[in-house]
Structure formats: C-alpha cells, structure tokens
Amino acid sequence: MNHSLRILLGALLAFSLALPTFAATWPESEDGAASAGFTEEGMEELDAAMRRIVADQDVAGMVWLLARNGKVATFDHAGIARIDDDAPMTRDSLFRIYSMTKPVTGVALMMLHEEGLWEFDDPVSKHVPEFADLKLMVSYDDEGNAELAEPSRHPNMRELLNHSAGFGYGLSGQDPVNNAFRESRVLASSDLDQLIDRVAEIPILFEPGEEWYYSVAVDIQGYIVQKLSGMRFGEFLEQRMFLPLGMNDTRFYVQEQDRPRFAEVHNWDAERGALVQRPHRADRPSYLDPTRLESGGGGLVSSTHDYARFLQMLVNEGELEGIRILTPESVRIMRTNSLRDELLMAGGPDRPGVPGTGFGVDFAVIFDPAAANSPQGAGTYYWSGAAGTWFWIDPVYDMFWIGMIQAQGARRPGAANMRNVARDIIYDSLIR
C-alpha cells in the first residue's frame, strides 16, 4: 500500500470512528470509592487533603480525578481558576498542560509506526533531512566559544523518543547549545518548519545515545508526524485522536467561547503573603491565537475530562469505548524503559536521575518501585507539565490519577508535596 493511500484510508477510518463520539461523556460523574476498589474513608481523606492544599494557598485551584478499572473513584474540584476575576475552578476548566502534550505526541508517532512509516533504528535525518549535517559540541570555554566536530553517527528515532539523541532545549543550561536555543527563539518559532530550520543550525550536546537530556525532541516528533502524515500536526491530532476519543476540548489554542473556562497561572507573592495571578507572556502568541505554534513538546490546552479519556485509552492498552487508537504492543513499548543503566534519569531539566526510574516513549517509567521508594506498581508511567499538572498510570492495578493546577514560580513556604500526598493516600486506600 503506497503512502498516499495509507494516509487517505487512515483519515477516512478516523472520520468514520469519530462520528458517534462527539457526545462522549465519560468521566462525567463518580462511580464511588467502593465501585472503583478503594475505601470510602480513603477517598474522603484524599478529597479533604486536596481541598486543604487549595485552602492553604499552595495552589489557587485544582481539579483531580482517580479511576480504576474504568470506574471513577473521585472527580472533584476546589478553589478558583482566576484570582483577578474570582472565577471558580470547575470540572470543565481548561488548562495549559505544557509537557503533558508530549505523551499525546508520542501516541501520534506510534500510530504512524504501526502504519510502517518509520522504524526505531531509522536515523532522524531520514525523516528530517535538515538534520543531515548536525554538528557535535565537543567542549566550550568560559567565553562560550564551542569546539565542534562531526558526531560518530546520526541520532536515531529511538533516541529521539527517550531524550538521548543529544538535542538541547533552552529551558536551562548556560552552555552554548542551550544559549543558542534561547537566542534563536526556537520555542517561539512561528511554525514547525521554522522550528526545524532553527534546530538544524544548533549543535547537539553529546554523542547520540551517550547521555539523557530533556530536550526539544518531542517538538521534532510533532514535525515528523506532520511530514509523514501529510497533515498539519494539529489537524492530525484532531482527526486521528481527539475526535475519535471524544476529546473535544483539546487543541493548541483556546476558542473564544471557551475563554471563561480558561484557568490562569499563579505564584506565591512573599510580600503580599498570598497567591497572585501571573501576567501573560509578551514574547509568545496568545493562547487565543489559532495560528500559534503547534508545539508537540508543550503546546496543548485540555480539560481534566479530555485528558482522563486519553489516559483511560492507555490503561486499556490503546482502546476506549470500542475505538482503538493503538495496539497493545505499541502501548507496552511506550511504557517500557529503553535507556541503558548508566543513562537512567527521568526527572526533568537539571534534576538528578531517579533511582528505579527510566524512560520509554515520552513517558518516565518506574521499573523498580522499591528503588524509587514508591508504593506504585512496577511499570507505572507518568509525566507532568510546567504549570504543575501531573498524572500517572499504574498498569498493575489498571488505574490512573490526574491532578490539574496552574502554578509556576514561587510557592508558599512549607507548601505540601501534593503529588506524594495524593499518591500515598491512594495506595493506602486501595482494596487489593
């Protein structure tokens, strides 16, 4: 089957499957603690703990959801979405999910892998010819002058998927590579073509496969999806994933009619002793702008409802309500660590490796819960976003958690570690 015919058939299939899903409602309401396999006392404690975190001004507002075996144990909310106009947080609030976009991009790329359009050992330059002449930064001096050389080989797709390809990001680091990402405004590119052109001019940080570094790799993945599918990246996600899954609130911008639902980002102001709303960035297009960069690494806006449907599809190993997005084999590949032992690290920029934790396809993976000091099951996979949104999926217990907040910058002194608080209560409440 040729490439064009495969794309056409895939699009037609997605369209036909999408038709009956526009009114998708799950998860609309709670099934209750017992139905989902948790103690009633535990879920009461969990809800109370999340509300206390909001009441203490650790965050302005939150929406949280816990599901097991397709049953919703709790789906609740507290606080406000926007301090400046005192808008309440609701189950339907919309959030910048930032790097929680990455797993969505990974699923899209795996869909094309199932169609035979790329292989894990392919050089990235096979699909992005602009990277054919990538240089390697060997060293640099105090003035920021870099010594460059030819890498021993091109990074491959597997390395692009687990952040060991060598690319920088510009979110941290004062080396010439990350400085170049900031100076050339890679993440402020007008479109994915411009992003690729800018990245192609910047050296890689290390020999492919030799280190792990949280990177621009997933934006590159989004470009590859766009190129291989013959569709604009956002269009591919909408037609092949969001519509079939009933994720009607998820896109790269906020529609005008949905603006009242859009939560704003907050931080702690020490002088006022209170949370304050952060101003919008002036150096990037507005989230109301439908032409803003379709960033596979961090650009999506979504709701708790929508992302929960995405997560339940993964819990079900690629299927939701009779609609199959991926094969079980593809989901298992995504949630399996693919890093060598000496590269195991999955915490984010400038954070040390987490014991017992590796990386699969756009997910961190807990392969040894004892070493990770976690009560979660082996193979639990997770990620988070820059504004504090976070999720994890535990395949041992067929369950997932998602917490949606909008917080960046300073936090209240003594603020709770809400991720550990939620995790520990959940596993203490689990009926095994």
Side-chain angles (χ1 to χ4, degrees):
M1 186 182 296
N2 65 41
H3 186 190
S4 298
L5 182 56
R6 187 184 291 115
I7 290 171
L8 176 60
L9 290 176
L12 289 172
L13 176 62
F15 179 74
S16 65
L17 290 175
L19 289 176
T21 68
F22 288 113
T25 55
W26 187 95
E28 187 177 40
S29 59
E30 298 175 355
D31 298 292
S35 294
F38 297 92
T39 66
E40 297 286 352
E41 296 80 8
M43 291 304 94
E44 290 173 4
E45 181 184 0
L46 176 63
D47 290 343
M50 297 303 101
R51 292 193 186 96
R52 185 164 55 252
I53 285 167
V54 172
D56 289 344
Q57 293 196 76
D58 294 352
V59 294
M62 185 191 308
V63 184
W64 61 94
L65 188 151
L66 174 66
R68 182 184 180 195
N69 297 323
K71 301 293 185 180
V72 179
T74 181
F75 183 7
D76 211 341
H77 58 92
I80 55 178
R82 296 186 302 276
I83 286 177
D84 286 2
D85 64 2
D86 204 30
M89 188 71 81
T90 71
R91 285 184 176 180
D92 293 329
S93 292
L94 298 177
F95 301 84
R96 302 160 182 82
I97 63 170
Y98 288 116
S99 286
M100 277 171 41
T101 304
K102 290 178 167 71
V104 174
T105 303
V107 167
L109 198 57
M110 289 300 293
M111 293 170 73
L112 297 180
H113 179 264
E114 291 183 359
E115 295 177 15
L117 298 183
W118 64 272
E119 298 296 336
F120 285 94
D121 291 328
D122 286 348
V124 177
S125 57
K126 176 180 179 179
H127 307 293
V128 188
E130 294 87 344
F131 291 171
D133 296 319
L134 284 176
K135 296 295 186 287
L136 167 70
M137 183 180 71
V138 177
S139 62
Y140 62 96
D141 60 26
D142 292 341
E143 282 72 46
N145 301 306
E147 177 186 353
L148 304 181
E150 298 290 330
S152 61
R153 62 173 176 81
H154 289 280
N156 61 37
M157 291 293 289
R158 179 177 289 101
E159 292 157 346
L160 188 73
L161 293 163
N162 67 20
H163 292 291
S164 66
F167 294 103
Y169 210 173
L171 298 182
S172 63
Q174 299 304 313
D175 56 87
V177 168
N178 283 294
N179 287 339
F181 268 83
R182 290 185 286 270
E183 290 163 4
S184 61
R185 292 170 49 80
V186 169
L187 298 181
S189 297
S190 59
D191 56 35
L192 291 175
D193 292 311
Q194 185 179 72
L195 181 142
I196 291 296
D197 289 341
R198 290 176 175 179
V199 174
E201 297 298 318
I202 302 173
I204 56 176
L205 285 162
F206 48 80
E207 289 280 8
E210 293 302 310
E211 296 184 36
W212 187 94
Y213 193 86
Y214 192 54
S215 69
V216 75
V218 194
D219 284 289
I220 298 169
Q221 292 175 35
Y223 172 80
I224 294 173
V225 170
Q226 179 169 281
K227 184 173 181 181
L228 294 181
S229 69
M231 304 168 70
R232 186 173 48 81
F233 182 45
E235 182 184 5
F236 179 92
L237 293 180
E238 179 182 23
Q239 295 299 322
R240 298 289 303 276
M241 192 184 312
F242 298 157
L243 287 177
L245 289 178
M247 297 172 62
N248 302 318
D249 287 329
T250 307
R251 53 185 55 83
F252 286 107
Y253 67 99
V254 178
Q255 298 179 113
E256 183 66 35
Q257 66 267 27
D258 290 329
R259 188 170 186 176
R261 299 167 56 197
F262 192 37
E264 292 293 351
V265 182
H266 303 88
N267 65 265
W268 181 257
D269 187 305
E271 292 185 3
R272 301 184 193 182
L275 288 169
V276 296
Q277 191 165 305
R278 294 169 69 91
H280 287 197
R281 295 184 63 153
D283 61 338
R284 304 282 173 87
S286 165
Y287 273 89
L288 295 176
D289 184 352
T291 68
R292 62 189 297 271
L293 176 67
E294 294 181 341
S295 167
L300 285 174
V301 172
S302 191
S303 63
T304 310
H305 165 274
D306 276 21
Y307 210 85
R309 291 184 67 82
F310 175 73
L311 296 179
Q312 187 62 47
M313 177 272 294
L314 292 168
V315 172
N316 296 344
E317 297 196 320
E319 176 273 335
L320 182 68
E321 296 174 345
I323 296 173
R324 182 157 293 282
I325 300 297
L326 287 178
T327 64
E329 179 183 7
S330 290
V331 176
R332 291 166 194 160
I333 289 171
M334 293 190 73
R335 70 186 196 209
T336 299
N337 172 52
S338 63
L339 295 175
R340 302 196 317 271
D341 289 348
E342 60 267 31
L343 300 183
L344 295 180
M345 49 195 320
D350 294 335
R351 291 175 59 185
V354 181
T357 305
F359 213 86
V361 174
D362 296 332
F363 294 110
V365 182
I366 300 175
F367 61 87
D368 186 344
N373 193 30
S374 171
Q376 293 163 304
T380 293
Y381 51 114
Y382 66 90
W383 205 238
S384 60
T389 57
W390 84 103
F391 76 87
W392 47 258
I393 299 173
D394 186 334
V396 173
Y397 296 105
D398 291 325
M399 69 175 173
F400 72 84
W401 160 271
I402 179 171
M404 294 291 232
I405 64 173
Q406 296 284 261
Q408 281 183 295
R411 301 186 64 205
R412 180 184 67 83
N417 184 331
M418 67 190 78
R419 299 184 186 189
N420 286 356
V421 169
R423 181 200 65 188
D424 293 346
I425 294 173
I426 289 166
Y427 281 87
D428 286 344
S429 306
L430 186 61
I431 300 173
R432 303 174 190 268

